Amino acid sequence: MKAAVVKETAPGERRVALVPDAIAKLRPAGIEVMIERGAGDGAWLSDAAYADAGAAIVSAAELYETADVILTVTKPPAATVSKLRKGQAIIGMLAPLTDPGLAAALTAQGVTVISLDGLPRTLSRAQPMDALSSQSNVAGYKAALVAATTFSRFFPMLITAAGTARPAKVLVLGAGVAGLQAIGTAKRLGAVVSGYDVRPASKGEVESLGATFLELTSVEAGAGQGGYARELTAEERQAQQEELTGHIARHDVVITTAQVPGRRPPLLVTEDALKAMSPGSVIVDMGASALGGNVTGSRPGETVVTENGVTIVGADNLPATVPTAASNAYSRNISALPIDTADEIQAGVVIAHDGKVVQESVASLLGPQTKGDTDVDGTRN
């Protein structure tokens, strides 16, 4: 089998799906690896390093023509879909719940679509393949660094001959993988850190990192399925926002991490909360996306400053800014994925196969014609 690694083309994307160290691990499985020329440049991984590891360096045209499996980090551009042929497979973080149209287009080409977004995170043996967690870990680390460099004062308390600087007060909203890494990193930088999450089990995790857990009385436990927080009702969101406003105003830095797969992220920092914050305060919105963000007025990939001097960083793709570490982690995830359609892990990540959308949640977004044994063009087998 020939597996090919494409060069990422999304703006600002510097990660690569496989690193040279992974190639030797794939050989015993009979997998021949091809690398598109320059694919690793953004992560400081040269073509020579891949060639030394045993990979063939090829052009994009040869890659799409001869590969059995296409390996990518993010969604392929629409222009490349037509280059794929029936019987090929594509593996990556393809966000089918956000962009079901891409899944439909790939299915129409007869391509097997495997998206690591759908990995069943509650299975302990799936952890080595959990790309969402590995990339969130990188993102949480970088979010704390972005906050520290954007903030106009020190994170730690400093006692000098010129006087004493008090430590920054940092609040992290969301205590999943990204939030916990942001908490730990901000704590190591010397800030006074608090964390909040609707899931009760998060309290012990936050406190284990030396941070204070923020307990709200207006929202009941919000643990959901698959390792995510459940989506709150409209009434719960309103009560949460109102109670959070007072806490947010007392902090210098806020990092928000809340996301709902395939849906608009919950709004956590309202306009009233922004107005209550002090000039010079910083918010890093890790939920910023085309669907919206956790913060009123945040824009993905942009930094804006409110009229009262609050800086909002729309941090939409932080892993790409730490490309070598993120690529190493992702490469381990993708190398560990079992090639067995009977495996329940594989069943969770296979979106389309043999000309049909087989992932029920994606099929429901595309309409009834994609369910069961119905092809995406509406015909029956």
Side-chain angles (χ1 to χ4, degrees):
M1 182 173 70
K2 294 183 178 181
V5 177
V6 300
K7 181 178 176 63
E8 302 293 325
T9 58
E13 184 56 70
R14 297 175 58 193
R15 291 172 291 178
V16 63
L18 278 185
V19 299
D21 287 349
I23 295 171
K25 299 176 183 178
L26 296 176
R27 278 180 173 175
I31 299 175
E32 178 184 337
V33 179
M34 298 184 293
I35 306 291
E36 182 178 348
R37 192 167 288 108
D41 288 352
W44 307 107
L45 298 169
S46 67
D47 289 345
Y50 282 105
D52 290 344
I57 311 301
V58 300
S59 66
E62 183 180 351
L63 182 150
Y64 286 107
E65 183 178 342
T66 62
D68 301 303
V69 179
I70 306 295
L71 304 179
T72 181
V73 178
T74 60
K75 298 185 297 181
T80 66
V81 173
S82 61
K83 298 179 182 179
L84 298 171
R85 66 178 188 278
K86 183 177 181 180
Q88 280 183 318
I90 184 167
I91 303 176
M93 293 188 292
L94 307 177
L97 295 177
T98 303
D99 188 4
L102 173 63
L106 291 168
T107 304
Q109 291 287 104
V111 175
T112 295
V113 182
I114 300 174
S115 183
L116 298 182
D117 308 70
L119 192 80
R121 305 175 80 184
T122 52
L123 294 176
S124 59
R125 65 187 181 88
Q127 290 178 1
M129 311 151 215
D130 190 351
L132 284 179
S133 289
S134 76
Q135 301 307 291
S136 293
N137 198 40
V138 176
Y141 162 80
K142 188 58 181 285
L145 299 185
V146 169
T149 55
T150 306
F151 188 50
S152 61
R153 300 200 304 274
F154 296 118
F155 259 36
M157 180 176 73
L158 291 181
I159 302 174
T160 71
T164 300
R166 69 170 178 83
K169 295 179 180 179
V170 177
L171 173 61
V172 178
L173 300 179
V177 174
L180 291 173
Q181 182 59 255
I183 288 171
T185 303
K187 188 69 179 175
R188 288 190 291 273
L189 290 173
V192 175
V193 186
S194 298
Y196 167 72
D197 197 288
V198 295
R199 295 167 292 187
S202 299
K203 179 179 180 180
E205 296 174 327
V206 168
E207 292 177 341
S208 72
L209 294 171
T212 300
F213 186 76
L214 186 65
E215 298 192 60
L216 301 187
T217 60
S218 58
V219 182
E220 294 185 4
Q225 296 181 344
Y228 297 98
R230 67 175 174 85
E231 187 173 14
L232 302 181
T233 66
E235 293 77 13
E236 286 176 320
R237 287 197 299 271
Q238 179 66 27
Q240 181 191 57
Q241 290 166 2
E242 291 176 355
E243 191 172 358
L244 274 175
T245 295
H247 293 287
I248 289 169
R250 292 191 287 272
H251 287 82
D252 303 304
V253 173
V254 177
I255 299 173
T256 67
T257 70
Q259 299 182 41
V260 181
R263 301 185 187 180
R264 182 184 178 90
L267 182 64
L268 301 177
V269 183
T270 63
E271 185 176 358
D272 288 342
L274 288 172
K275 290 178 178 178
M277 297 182 75
S278 300
S281 299
V282 171
I283 303 176
V284 177
D285 183 4
M286 294 179 64
S289 71
L291 298 176
N294 299 146
V295 183
T296 298
S298 74
R299 296 194 291 266
E302 297 184 32
T303 297
V304 299
V305 181
T306 66
E307 290 183 359
N308 62 316
V310 178
T311 300
I312 306 171
V313 181
D316 60 333
N317 189 13
L318 289 175
T321 66
V322 195
T324 306
S327 296
N328 273 290
Y330 184 76
S331 180
R332 289 190 290 270
N333 298 144
I334 210 166
S335 300
L337 189 68
I339 308 300
D340 180 3
T341 55
D343 190 287
E344 60 182 321
I345 292 176
Q346 194 84 354
V349 298
V350 175
I351 307 303
H353 179 63
D354 197 22
K356 294 182 287 291
V357 175
V358 296
Q359 224 278 349
E360 190 170 339
S361 57
V362 178
S364 64
L365 291 174
L366 291 168
Q369 73 271 20
T370 64
K371 295 182 179 180
D373 60 348
T374 307
D375 288 339
V376 291
D377 63 0
T379 60
R380 306 284 293 186
N381 287 334

